[in-house]
Amino acid sequence: MRCTALVFLPLAAGLAQQRPDVIYDEARVPAYTLPDVLGQARDAKAWPARRQQILEMYRTEVFGRSPAKPANQKFNVEGVDKNALGGRAVRKLVTISFGSGPKLHMLLYLPAGKKAAPVFLGLSFSGNQTVCGDPGIPLGEEWLRDPATKEMVKRTAPETSRGRSTEQWQLDRILERGYGLATIYYGDIEPDFDGGMKYGVRPVFFRPGQTEPAADEWAAIGAWAWGLSRAMDYLETDREVDARHVAVFGHSRLGKTALWAGAQDTRFAMVISNESGEGGAAISRRDFGERTKDLNTRFPHWFCANFRKYNDREDQMPFDSHFLLALSAPRPLYVASAEGDQWSDPRGEFLGAVHASRVYELLGKPGIGTDQMPGLNQPIMHTVAYHIRDGKHDVTAYDWEQYLKFAEMHWRPAR
Ligand code: GTR
């Protein structure tokens, strides 16, 4: 049976991440100097121009430029069940399409009996059927590496995958508190492997004759973030969704993606980065855990080609992660870490939030309010929030509990 030997890609991608010389000792972290996030901006009025400069840096140097919303975008709402999950939810299956390009399959749950619910939107590492055990969700597709041929292959996910990520999505808890949840399998937008581009949305937007993106054009993270904006296009049309209260969420590489989606698309009213690490919330100049070169070597398809010039040269970046985080200002921003996830540099993630806070303060919002990292499981929540919990690199019930509290703090309780 060849299929049983197939390896599930995101798990496989998490292996072998440690270089032998990786620094995990605070005392060995070399000194560094951060660039000034405010630049010439001395007051709130000057921020939009500075924001534009920073956005431009990230477009050119890190994630690449993405196209605008396609004119031929269509939404097809199927699989509406007003009585899903034993009457606790409304379930919708929405297909987002643009001509002959790949189709994005969105799963949307809304709490029953609500006029317009605020929604958490996030991409998932596997098909929609993994989010909960609801048998009404069609089995999605997944990409796997065939150990015999070493080729990536696509197959329909097995029945046994239903509800596999229940812990990571905490749907019951989200619904109980009056929020909706929308997810799309990120492989629908572009499968996550070097060479996966040809199966995703990017080639649809190539100019005639173009086969590769230019050095400042979108890579996979840019494509995934673009997909989140297309999901938002749909949410804006759904009258059962409170589109002014949509939080964009993501874990790990998808946390990097959520930050980039929130940076570009201010329709996202809240941005949540769960253990996004290097290339996400963590300060790149800090030589601790993963580095820019690790990203560009192990995942050459994630960032635009220009980003490679910063391999081993983080000190040359005219920006650092606090610039990326500041692009969410003044909207509520949550940065979360896990103690067992040293590869993502929890302290570097915290410092990203600390230094981005200057922009929040400039705009009259409370930033993180301290440069002292809190202890385990002691969240700090202002307009910028941070926690480090015990446990490994993952999304847990604890994480979601904090995100719900954060949403309740900034938006009225949803129930
Ligand atoms: C790791 C990668 C991290 C993080 C993580 C994930 O292998 O080095 O940057 O993105 O994958 O997405 O799980």
Side-chain angles (χ1 to χ4, degrees), residues 13-14 17 125 252-253 256 278 290 295 298-299 302 343 393:
Q17 45 188 222
F125 285 101
S252 205
R253 66 199 71 185
K256 308 181 212 297
E278 189 63 45
E290 186 169 32
L295 286 171
R298 296 174 59 231
F299 307 103
W302 282 3
W343 180 242
H393 183 63

Side-chain angles (χ1 to χ4, degrees), residues 20-55:
D21 58 339
V22 63
I23 296 183
Y24 283 132
D25 174 1
E26 202 54 49
R28 287 182 53 214
V29 176
Y32 57 88
T33 309
L34 285 178
D36 179 5
V37 66
L38 295 180
Q40 302 301 312
R42 291 286 162 264
D43 54 28
K45 267 201 345 241
W47 173 246
R50 175 62 173 160
R51 186 182 191 280
Q52 206 46 44
Q53 275 175 0
I54 295 176
L55 201 50

